[in-house]
Structures are given as C-alpha cells and as structure tokens.
Amino acid sequence: MPNQPKFKRYVWELPVRWCHWTNVMSIVVLCVTGFFIGTPFSFGKSASDFTMGWIRFFHFTAAYLFTVSVISRIIWSFIGNRYSGWREFFPLATLKGREKMLRMLRYYLLLDRKVPETIGHNPLATSAYVCLFFLYSLMILTGFALYAQHAPGSPMYRVLGFMYALFSNQGMRLAHHFSMWLIVGFVINHIYSAWLMDIKERGGEISSMFSGYKFTVKKED
Amino acid sequence: MGKEDFETTPNDLEQGLEKRKYSVGEILRERGVSRRDFLKFCSAVTAAMALPASFAPRVAEALDEVKRPPLVWMEFQDCAGDTEALLRAANPTVGEIVLDILSVDYHETIMAAAGHQAEAALEKTVNDYKGKYLCVVEGSIPMKDGGIYGCVGGKSHLDRARQVCGNAAATVAVGTCASYGGIAAAVPNPTGAVGVKEAVPGATVINLPGCPVNADNLTATIVHYLVFGKIPALDGHGRPLFAYGKRIHDNCERRPHFDAGQYVEHWGDDGHRRGFCLYKVGCKGPATFHNCPTQRYNEKTSWPVGAGHPCAGCSEPAFWDTMGPMYKRLPNVPGFGIEHTADKIGIGVAAGAAAAFAVHGVLNAVRKDKEPSDETREG
C-alpha cells in the first residue's frame, strides 16, 4: 500500500537527540585521536612542538563530553517519554517484546517480507544498545583509570582503584584499544540498519534523529 | 625518633655485637668518613626520600644518634642481581655506608662464615633480636609441593621466610622476585613462586621492585626506618611512595619528544640517534611506576631509557607476563596465536561487519518487501 496516509508522531525528545549527536561527534573524535595515540606518526618537527600533547588534549576533552552524554542519556531513560525509557532496552523481558523481536529477526534474516513497523526503538537494536552501553562503561572506566595514572593518589585515581585490581596496566590498554574496534563494528551495523529501515519503512528513520518526528500508520493517541 | 636500644642481654658480648652500642655517627667517624661526606650523604638520601632539603640536618642529627640495628639478608629463588646492584653502588660511599651502619649478621653471598656457623649466626640474630632486626629478602619463594623447590641448611625457603621475615621488625623485599615473584613466577610458574608478602602475609613488608633494585632506594628506605622509626608510606602494591609514587613516563627526560610527536621508528634511525621518545618501540614507561628517571642507576650514570632502550616495566607486578612483547606497545591478544595484535583482529571485526552488511544490503535491494500497513503496524 504505497499510497497509504501516514501520521507524524513525536518520538525522540530533544535530550535524546542531543545525546545521540554528542555521542556521534565524541566517538569520532575519540576513535581518530585514540588511534593516533596508540600508533602515532612522527609529526613533530622540533622538541618544542606539542602535536601529541594537543591530540591527547582533544581525546581527554572528548572523553569528558562523551561521559557526560552517556550519563545524561541513562538519567533521561528514567524521566523521558516511553520511547526513550529504560524498559525499551530489555525487550526480552516481556512477551510483547519477544514477539516484536522475533518479527524483527525474521525480517532481518530475510525469512519474512513484511516490514515490521517500529515506532520507537527496534527491539533488536535496543538489545544491541545494552551491549553498547556496557562497552561505553568499559571504555569510560578503563580510559579514566589510565588517565588518572598521571596523578596517583588523586581523587580520580582513588575512585577508580578497583580497576587497577581488575586489569594489569597493559591489559587495561589492550581492553581500551580493542573495545574501540567493537564500537567501530557497531557503528557500521548501526548506520547500515538505519539506512535500510529508512528505505523499507518509509517512516523517516534517519531524519527522525534530527527532527524528532517519525511517520507512522497509526495516528498518535 | 626511633632510637632502638640494642645493647641488651649479657650474652651479646661477642665482638660483632659489641659494636652496636655505638651510634651510626660514631662508627662513621671511626671509619674515617669525613663530616662533609656524611652530610653530603644525608642530603642525597633526604632527596631520595622525597623530603624537602630542610630535613637534611634532621636526618643527619637522627643518624648521628641512632644505634645500628642488626640486619639479615636472605636469598631465595634469585640471581643475586640485587646484591650485585648494592655492592656496585659506587655513589658517595652511600652503598658502603648502608652496609657499614648496619650490622649485617647474615648474607649468603658476602659473609665469611659458612655452613653451620653461618646458620647459627642467623639463628642467634632471629632469637636475640626478635621483632627488632631488619630483614632484606632477595628472590621469590617457591610454594608448590610444600616449598620443596628451594632449600638452604636443610630448611625450605618457605620455612625460613616464615621464621626470619615473620620475626623481623620489617622486611624489605628487594627486586621484583622478592616483591611479586618476578620472572620465576611467570607463566607457567613451575615452582609456585610468590613474593614475600604473599608467602608470609603476617610480615611487615616493604616492596622495592625493579630488576635489579635501585640501591639508592634501598638506602633511603633503611635510612627512613632508622630516622623515623617506622616504614615509609606505601602504595597499593606495597611500594614506598617516595620511589614509586610517579610514573616513569611523567618524569622521563624524553617526555618533551613524546608530547612533540617525535618518535624512534626503527633502531638506530635518525630519531634514535637524536634521543627521541621510545614510545613506538614498546616503551612501558607509561605503565610503570618507578623513580628511574630521577634516581638513575650506578652513581646516577644512566638508566635504560637514558641509554636508548625502552622501559621493560620491570617494577610492576606480574611484569614478565603482562608487559610483553618488550618492543611493542600493546600485548598480543590471547587465544589468537602469536603475533595477533588488537588492531589486526579489530580490522577483521570491522571488515567482517561491513562485508556482512553489504551482502545483506544487496539482498534487500533486490527484494520487494511490504511496507508497514494496517496489518503490520505497531500498537
């Protein structure tokens, strides 16, 4: 039914969109600068240059921005609308969620031609986001634990003391570095899926992350 | 001030013990150490303890008066490298002074006595000065199979450690082996080697890891004990903060090159000859806490990074297992065979994801799907 009328519906509130794009920008900056910190080129022309210094400065600044954004999004999941609420992230916990998830999975596996409509989050995506938030936490904790080593005994070093018990110094670097690649893998998946569903659903999937509105078959209640 | 009084029991009248009645200052004068050299030593050791220069006179005053405590030096699973480091300490007679101000009653490598005579001397110190003598331990302690992998005088290292370290006022674990098991404790650790604190949990242990220990740090630790009568403040790994409170990377003389972005790319390249940062050839300075850049080795002559070799991270727990490969930035990923770095696997993950979704996208592009309608709508 290509000519079916659709209704616009406000789905993503401003803080959700802000957090999303802050995450995007900070992850891009963090990946690029982080990769350079791990494998730098000899940029410096003289010993009084500050190439690595500035790159690390941007990495740490973006890290603070990212941390604030992630924490804000978690807080918003308790005060925002139902599409942004924390319940959305555990579709496996409810029967309805499991049904939705199965339909989505069948569609993704090319077993079903009916595109399931998702007004808020897609249940497969939210399950992936739970893993992603775990990765974010790992990145934030290992990152700041490594950062705090410049000032042992500082409040940050003390707060993150448990991390030094969980990881060796080099093991922490490896975890931080490897998790970046997992996030890169997620980003590829995420962009592809958003593009796919934008085409197939014709509900404004991608633009909804800018405007907040999606277009749905069902009129807003 | 810890003025331990060691002139006690009547059976102490043998010649070695007689000397303990004298203060450190008196012994040094007797040995012909000039007042000037003594004060120079006090200044150097005050700096090593990370105390302000104004403390130097107080250190001198305290050392003048303090009585020399007996000290025993135990060697377990080791290479005697820390003994070598101490004996080779060429500094303002610093190493010498340490040996001279202490009454070293037992040291397997340098003592004249041998066999039962030597063991009797150890026994005597432990019994007569229970809770008052200092113990220095070099080497790890094998715990496996009841500790049978190391014996001296018919007793296992473990039993000796329990007896000697357990009864000492304080035990200084010198070197990474005595602190955390070191190389002997590396996977697969066939002897079950551990550091002193793990073998004798009840002992008061100060860890001075490093391969070898920096003799200046040992001197400073002992002087701290003599002057203040207590052990220095320690970090989470039992290391004195004055020596292990900062990362090598943060005090490194090559740090400006790191911040500038000037790195040694290959051994012997232009950057290497010009003293650039060793970060890319696997320097573990960013992961290692030690005062090597400021204290240096061998009469402050040099240290590994100063000599153009990356830091190996020898003063961190489990360094042999966690700091390798020596010339790479990151460890290899376990379970993927040799030479698999995080980046190779990461690129594989990303490329795999991209390929999978590209195929999925093509399949979806040729399919004709049903757009959401009243039948498939949500809610």
Side-chain angles (χ1 to χ4, degrees), chain A residues 54-221:
Chain A
W54 281 116
I55 285 166
R56 290 175 78 238
F57 173 78
F58 288 127
H59 191 77
F60 302 144
T61 309
Y64 274 109
L65 203 66
F66 178 67
T67 306
V68 169
S69 172
V70 168
I71 292 171
S72 307
R73 182 62 185 87
I74 291 170
I75 293 170
W76 191 256
S77 75
F78 292 97
I79 51 183
N81 68 15
R82 66 188 172 103
Y83 304 115
S84 63
W86 62 271
R87 284 185 184 82
E88 284 283 288
F89 291 84
F90 302 98
L92 281 174
T94 61
L95 185 66
K96 216 177 144 195
R98 284 194 290 271
E99 279 169 8
K100 261 171 91 175
M101 198 160 170
L102 190 68
R103 271 204 302 278
M104 208 68 221
L105 197 65
R106 284 179 59 81
Y107 176 70
Y108 270 147
L109 293 175
L110 313 170
L111 297 173
D112 198 338
R113 280 176 195 281
K114 276 183 241 159
V115 180
E117 175 169 63
T118 46
I119 296 173
H121 284 296
N122 156 347
L124 275 182
T126 49
S127 307
Y129 299 161
V130 170
C131 304
L132 186 70
F133 269 78
F134 171 77
L135 271 183
Y136 285 172
S137 317
L138 184 71
M139 281 309 244
I140 291 167
L141 290 173
T142 53
F144 279 103
L146 288 168
Y147 175 69
Q149 288 191 325
H150 78 282
S154 63
M156 191 192 281
Y157 189 87
R158 278 156 202 262
V159 167
L160 293 166
F162 70 98
M163 291 298 287
Y164 310 116
L166 293 175
F167 290 93
S168 69
N169 285 348
Q170 284 293 95
M172 193 142 40
R173 280 185 173 74
L174 184 66
H176 194 70
H177 197 99
F178 191 66
S179 301
M180 175 198 76
W181 283 111
L182 295 179
I183 290 175
V184 168
F186 165 81
V187 168
I188 293 169
N189 173 347
H190 185 67
I191 293 173
Y192 168 75
S193 304
W195 171 71
L196 178 75
M197 294 321 284
D198 189 271
I199 293 170
K200 297 289 184 180
E201 232 178 38
R202 296 190 187 137
E205 178 84 6
I206 288 180
S207 73
S208 74
M209 208 21 87
F210 296 94
S211 66
Y213 286 91
K214 273 196 178 184
F215 298 90
T216 61
V217 181
K218 197 186 173 210
K219 195 172 183 204
E220 192 159 11
D221 342 275

Side-chain angles (χ1 to χ4, degrees), chain A residues 1-2 4 6 9 35-54 56 82-83 96 100 103 107-121 146-147 149-152 157 164 168-171 173-174 177-178 180-182 184-185 188-190 192-193 195-196 200-202 217-218, chain B residues 237 239 241 244-247 249-250 255-265 274 276 279-280 283-284 286-289 316-317 322-324 328-334 341-347 349-351 353-379:
Chain A
M1 278 169 272
Q4 176 168 332
K6 288 198 176 178
R9 183 191 286 248
F35 196 80
F36 180 88
I37 293 167
T39 319
F41 329 118
S42 292
F43 264 163
K45 290 278 172 285
S46 93
S48 35
D49 282 356
F50 201 57
T51 317
M52 179 61 120
W54 281 116
R56 290 175 78 238
R82 66 188 172 103
Y83 304 115
K96 216 177 144 195
K100 261 171 91 175
R103 271 204 302 278
Y107 176 70
Y108 270 147
L109 293 175
L110 313 170
L111 297 173
D112 198 338
R113 280 176 195 281
K114 276 183 241 159
V115 180
E117 175 169 63
T118 46
I119 296 173
H121 284 296
L146 288 168
Y147 175 69
Q149 288 191 325
H150 78 282
Y157 189 87
Y164 310 116
S168 69
N169 285 348
Q170 284 293 95
R173 280 185 173 74
L174 184 66
H177 197 99
F178 191 66
M180 175 198 76
W181 283 111
L182 295 179
V184 168
I188 293 169
N189 173 347
H190 185 67
Y192 168 75
S193 304
W195 171 71
L196 178 75
K200 297 289 184 180
E201 232 178 38
R202 296 190 187 137
V217 181
K218 197 186 173 210
Chain B
H237 294 304
R239 307 173 290 194
L241 285 170
Y244 300 86
K246 277 282 177 193
R247 255 189 324 184
H249 187 54
D250 293 325
R255 180 60 188 263
H257 294 299
F258 172 81
D259 289 329
Q262 293 180 306
Y263 305 99
V264 174
E265 303 279 349
R274 289 164 66 192
F276 286 0
Y279 183 79
K280 287 186 81 173
C283 183
K284 304 302 183 298
T288 309
F289 290 80
E316 288 298 314
T322 64
M323 289 294 184
K328 292 221 170 108
R329 272 248 46 78
L330 285 176
N332 288 322
V333 181
T341 62
D343 282 339
K344 279 186 196 161
I345 294 165
I347 289 168
V349 167
F357 293 119
V359 171
H360 196 266
V362 170
L363 290 175
N364 262 298
V366 296
R367 265 158 63 100
K368 224 172 150 49
D369 288 336
K370 285 188 198 132
E371 201 184 319
S373 63
D374 264 342
E375 319 141 41
T376 57
R377 72 175 193 202
E378 185 186 326

